Amino acid sequence: MRKILIIEDEEKIARFIELELKYEGYEVEKTYNGRDGLKLVETHPFDLILLDIMLPGLNGIEVLRRIRQFSNLPVILLTARDTVVDKVTGLDGGADDYITKPFAIEELLARIRAALRKNEVSNALEKSSELVSGALRLDPMKREVHVNNTLIYLTKREFDLLHYLLENKNIVISRETLIEHIWGYDFSGETNAVDVYIRYLRAKIEEPFGIKILYTVRGVGYVIKDE
């Protein structure tokens, strides 16, 4: 269930929106001032925020500014002020949308759905984005690896190991950490399993192309680094 936070100082409006959202199947929490709203965002998970601009304690623009320091959570501004300056300030401050009071609840619901869809697409694109190091490209969604535009066949274990090293590019990962993340905490096989699979990867993605991707840090583990 999607959870929405309403930060609105007019209690009747907040209650009206809350009832409509609950009727539509959303989980709702509300607060009536900016400081309390900011604390809730910092300490609780939400899918979207409805944020009034004219708030006691901390105005909506300042709340938005502080939220954007740690989160890209969708934010729709609610305000009685319909000036171009307010709209520009809100949107430039990181708001996803802007609706002026009084508004039809159907319009607000449509804007909420649009903001949630947009956020879903953004998250999906972020998760599916390729990981790159030099001539190497790895697509997590397609589970494909290319070197110099040549498709390389990897086993599941080889792919997972390469993926984890690429996700942590420029960070030296110990053999123990690789065992835990790729083989699992209860792995009881050979302790040199990581070294064996690194050799498999080198034979497939380095040697045929005369390139260096995987680096050994003696006594520690392995790293993929940008040269």
Side-chain angles (χ1 to χ4, degrees):
M1 182 183 294
R2 300 299 186 84
K3 189 173 184 179
I4 295 177
L5 173 63
I6 302 168
I7 310 176
E8 165 65 69
D9 66 322
E10 295 185 54
E11 295 188 24
K12 288 184 178 179
I13 293 178
R15 178 61 176 161
F16 169 69
I17 296 173
E18 177 187 24
L19 292 173
E20 291 291 340
L21 291 179
K22 285 183 174 179
Y23 181 78
E24 292 294 321
Y26 296 105
E27 185 178 347
V28 182
E29 192 157 345
K30 64 181 186 298
T31 185
Y32 306 115
N33 71 76
R35 293 193 185 280
D36 288 346
L38 183 60
K39 287 179 183 177
L40 282 170
V41 178
E42 291 172 337
T43 56
H44 294 75
F46 294 100
D47 294 293
L48 183 139
I49 302 170
L50 297 177
L51 176 62
D52 187 31
I53 288 182
M54 302 299 290
L55 289 170
L58 205 63
N59 72 59
I61 297 298
E62 181 59 21
V63 172
L64 175 62
R65 186 188 71 80
R66 297 191 189 188
I67 288 172
R68 284 294 175 253
Q69 291 176 358
F70 63 88
S71 174
N72 288 320
L73 190 66
V75 176
I76 297 177
L77 293 178
L78 310 175
T79 183
R81 300 169 64 180
D82 190 22
T83 68
V84 173
V85 173
D86 285 336
K87 290 180 180 179
V88 171
T89 301
L91 295 172
D92 283 350
D96 294 81
D97 205 348
Y98 188 112
I99 190 166
T100 304
K101 303 174 190 174
F103 49 79
I105 192 64
E106 292 81 8
E107 181 182 2
L108 177 61
L109 292 171
R111 288 173 183 261
I112 289 171
R113 290 192 296 269
L116 290 171
R117 281 197 303 270
K118 180 181 176 183
N119 193 53
E120 280 182 353
V121 171
S122 177
N123 288 339
L125 288 173
E126 185 176 325
K127 289 179 182 177
S128 67
S129 60
E130 287 186 336
L131 299 172
V132 179
S133 180
L136 172 69
R137 291 186 295 111
L138 182 148
D139 188 325
M141 296 295 287
K142 295 180 180 178
R143 292 187 69 84
E144 289 183 353
V145 172
H146 290 80
V147 178
N148 288 338
N149 295 319
T150 300
L151 180 64
I152 309 299
Y153 171 75
L154 298 181
T155 66
K156 181 182 185 303
R157 192 83 73 187
E158 291 166 353
F159 182 94
D160 291 344
L161 178 58
L162 182 63
H163 185 197
Y164 188 75
L165 288 167
L166 269 172
E167 280 187 317
N168 295 277
K169 190 166 58 174
N170 299 315
I171 299 172
V172 179
I173 308 296
S174 70
R175 289 173 176 83
E176 292 76 16
T177 299
L178 290 170
I179 286 289
E180 289 175 0
H181 281 271
I182 308 304
W183 279 264
Y185 289 95
D186 57 351
F187 177 72
S188 58
E190 294 294 327
T191 56
N192 68 340
V194 173
D195 305 298
V196 170
Y197 273 82
I198 290 291
R199 286 200 297 272
Y200 292 161
L201 285 173
R202 283 175 170 156
K204 291 182 177 182
I205 66 177
E206 290 184 344
E207 294 170 8
F209 304 95
I211 60 176
K212 187 68 176 173
I213 295 171
L214 299 159
Y215 291 83
T216 304
V217 179
R218 291 188 180 277
V220 184
Y222 296 96
V223 62
I224 292 176
K225 55 185 178 181
D226 285 330
E227 290 296 322

